């Protein structure tokens, strides 16, 4: 695994589009090429109290979680993801990349290589809700997002990670 000082951190801050709220304060963060062959991604996430991990892919429809933050760590392959809703940004996620989604941040898989897989995990192993940008969800989800606390640790680099340079209450 690369050191925090050796990686590129890309913050993306998008506004509420009326369907996908995104986060009012925290940008989505992309850490480029963090993990290398042989790294134990789940062990790294777990050691920083991001757990409840699963291995799979991002859903092929816009969705978000209002009650927790989420980390996606790309184990293999590459994918085109749309982040932040229908008006959001399209990015290429590649093996070794890490995407940290603050509560409320939309995400969708556009396309992926056959070997694409990512781990997902949540601070403290939180159970996540599934929200789809429906109007009837908004009052509750906006309230939920406002109450999701800042995590204790960066999912990759712990208490001194770059997450805390960008996520400030």
């Amino acid at each position: 695994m690369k050191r925090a000082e050796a990686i590129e951190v890309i913050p993306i801050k998008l506004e509420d589009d009326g369907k996908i709220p995104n986060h009012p304060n925290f940008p989505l963060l992309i850490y480029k090429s963090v993990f290398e062959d042989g790294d134990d991604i789940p062990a790294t996430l777990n050691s920083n109290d991001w757990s409840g991990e699963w291995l799979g892919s991002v859903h092929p429809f816009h969705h978000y979680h209002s009650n927790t933050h989420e980390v996606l760590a790309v184990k293999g392959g590459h994918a085109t993801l749309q982040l932040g809703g229908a008006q959001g940004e399209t990015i290429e996620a590649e093996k070794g990349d890490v995407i940290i989604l603050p509560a409320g941040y939309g995400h969708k898989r556009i396309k992926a290589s056959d070997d694409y897989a990512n781990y997902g995990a949540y601070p403290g192993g939180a159970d996540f809700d599934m929200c789809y940008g429906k109007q009837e969800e908004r009052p509750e989800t906006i309230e939920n997002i406002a109450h999701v606390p800042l995590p204790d640790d960066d999912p990759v680099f712990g208490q001194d990670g770059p997450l805390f340079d960008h996520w400030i209450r």
Side-chain angles (χ1 to χ4, degrees):
M1 183 174 80
K2 293 183 181 172
R3 293 185 343 264
E5 309 80 49
I7 65 162
E8 176 185 11
V9 178
I10 302 167
I12 298 175
K13 181 73 174 107
L14 295 168
E15 299 301 317
D16 183 333
D17 70 2
K19 292 185 178 185
I20 304 295
N22 298 311
H23 196 282
N25 302 314
F26 303 158
L28 176 149
L29 300 174
I30 302 170
Y31 297 176
K32 293 299 290 179
S33 303
V34 175
F35 289 109
E36 300 169 319
D37 287 338
D39 288 340
D40 188 338
I41 296 172
T44 298
L45 301 176
N46 287 183
S47 72
N48 294 307
D49 198 29
W50 287 65
S51 56
E53 73 277 343
W54 51 268
L55 178 62
S57 185
V58 177
H59 292 298
F61 50 83
H62 292 289
H63 67 286
Y64 65 94
H65 312 297
S66 74
N67 64 342
T68 185
H69 309 299
E70 180 177 29
V71 63
L72 304 173
V74 182
K75 179 183 184 216
H78 58 89
T80 303
L81 304 177
Q82 187 168 30
L83 305 172
Q87 306 303 316
E89 291 199 25
T90 302
I91 63 115
E92 293 300 317
E94 302 168 315
K95 180 179 178 178
D97 290 352
V98 171
I99 301 166
I100 306 171
L101 298 151
Y105 230 97
H107 45 297
K108 171 186 177 179
R109 182 185 77 238
I110 304 293
K111 64 181 177 179
S113 62
D114 291 341
D115 61 343
Y116 178 78
N118 64 253
Y119 287 101
Y122 311 90
D127 288 330
F128 60 90
D129 60 3
M130 285 291 290
C131 305
Y132 305 97
K134 297 177 181 175
Q135 199 58 40
E136 60 270 18
E137 297 171 338
R138 286 189 69 83
E140 181 180 357
T141 60
I142 297 299
E143 185 71 19
N144 288 348
I145 292 164
H147 289 96
V148 175
L150 188 67
D152 292 333
D153 294 292
D154 178 298
V156 179
F157 300 106
Q159 293 184 349
D160 297 322
L163 177 138
F164 300 109
D165 295 333
H166 298 275
W167 288 16
I168 302 165
R169 284 249 185 236

